[in-house]
């Protein structure tokens, strides 16, 4: 009996290590770290496990009838595929009577414990034609059912297009407002501070023409006066030099 119990211990440990779950979109249990451990995953059964259901609003929007790609992280060999995906449109987190989703690209593996590909694996599924807000999608692998839940909004194509159009219109309106503001700023920047000074350019030109000769005459007169002053000064210096030379000549004659 003791030997039989020991024989089952490795099997149980192997199942307990069957860890994997959604990595993208971010599950309600939180982001999967770059180097996750067993603690980052849990068995979810027919619920979202021990994770509390957030009140929303959901930030992930899927269009009804479209195909989306999620990422499922396989931690080790026992976190292999295949996986199942189930929708709870009520958002309560109960998947016992949920709607099974069609998977078009599976997570590698057999029976949930063979042929695993460790790391992020693409999981492609078809979004049901069931519009809902803050609904939950559960993904879990075969075997012990390790997985997680993601909160989403499923919207119709028309609603999605309308939201995109509204966002585009808001962006265009904002751009137009900015353009008008920029144009006004440009006009203000190029308008002279004293617009009256340039109202009559002909009068301004005439005034400039009348002022120019007077200014030139004044400059010519000042130049002439300066020239006369310099000439007078030079003449006086020459006369003084001549007188000095004459006085020296007389002194030399007297000494002889």
């Amino acid at each position: 009996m003791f030997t039989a119990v020991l024989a089952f211990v490795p099997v149980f440990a192997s199942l307990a290590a069957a860890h994997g779950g959604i990595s993208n979109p971010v599950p309600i249990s939180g982001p999967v770290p770059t180097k996750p451990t067993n603690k980052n995953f849990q068995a979810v059964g027919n619920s979202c496990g021990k994770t509390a259901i957030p009140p929303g609003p959901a930030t992930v929007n899927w269009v009804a009838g479209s195909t989306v790609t999620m990422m499922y992280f396989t931690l080790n060999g026992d976190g292999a595929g295949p996986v199942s995906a189930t929708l709870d449109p009520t958002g309560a987190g109960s998947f016992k009577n949920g709607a099974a989703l069609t998977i078009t690209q599976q997570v590698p593996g057999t029976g949930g414990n063979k042929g695993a590909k460790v790391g992020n694996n693409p999981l492609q599924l078809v979004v049901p034609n069931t519009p809902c807000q803050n609904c939950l999608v559960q993904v879990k692998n075969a075997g012990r059912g390790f997985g997680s839940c993601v909160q989403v909004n499923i919207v119709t194509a028309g609603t999605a297009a309308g939201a995109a159009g509204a966002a585009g219109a808001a962006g265009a309106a904002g751009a137009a407002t900015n353009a008008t503001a920029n144009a006004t700023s440009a006009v203000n920047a190029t308008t002279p501070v004293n617009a009256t000074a340039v109202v009559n350019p002909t009068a301004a030109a005439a005034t400039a023409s009348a002022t120019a000769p007077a200014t030139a005459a004044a400059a010519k007169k000042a130049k002439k006066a300066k020239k006369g002053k310099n000439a007078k000064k030079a003449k006086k210096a020459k006369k003084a030099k001549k007188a000095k030379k004459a006085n020296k000549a007389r002194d030399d004659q007297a000494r002889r």
Side-chain angles (χ1 to χ4, degrees), residues 8-205:
F8 280 103
V9 170
V11 175
F12 179 80
S14 177
L15 291 173
H19 289 75
I22 302 169
S23 58
N24 186 37
V26 177
I28 63 173
S29 54
V32 174
T34 304
K35 295 182 179 180
T37 65
N38 288 349
K39 295 180 180 180
N40 299 115
F41 304 100
Q42 60 178 325
V44 291
N46 289 319
S47 67
C48 290
K50 298 178 180 179
T51 304
I53 308 300
T59 57
V60 178
N61 296 305
W62 289 350
V63 177
S66 67
T67 300
V68 297
T69 300
M70 306 174 70
M71 298 301 290
Y72 184 90
F73 191 92
T74 300
L75 181 64
N76 49 37
D78 286 328
V83 299
S84 61
T86 309
L87 170 69
D88 171 19
T90 68
S94 177
F95 299 93
K96 187 176 182 179
N97 298 314
L101 306 186
T102 300
I103 295 176
T104 57
Q105 182 177 354
Q106 261 291 356
V107 174
T110 303
N113 57 7
K114 294 180 181 179
K117 182 180 179 182
V118 176
N120 280 309
N121 295 284
L123 167 65
Q124 199 170 75
L125 53 83
V126 178
V127 180
N129 287 305
T130 309
C132 56
Q133 297 290 317
N134 302 324
C135 38
L136 291 168
V137 173
Q138 179 210 70
V139 175
K140 64 180 180 180
N141 80 326
R144 287 288 302 278
F146 281 86
S148 47
C149 297
V150 61
Q151 190 177 52
V152 302
N153 297 318
I154 297 179
V155 299
T156 61
T159 303
T177 301
N178 290 337
T180 302
N182 291 338
T184 303
S185 299
V187 170
N188 292 338
T190 55
T191 301
V193 175
N194 188 357
T196 306
V198 293
V199 169
N200 192 347
T202 303

Side-chain angles (χ1 to χ4, degrees), residues 2 77 181 197 206 240:
F2 182 75

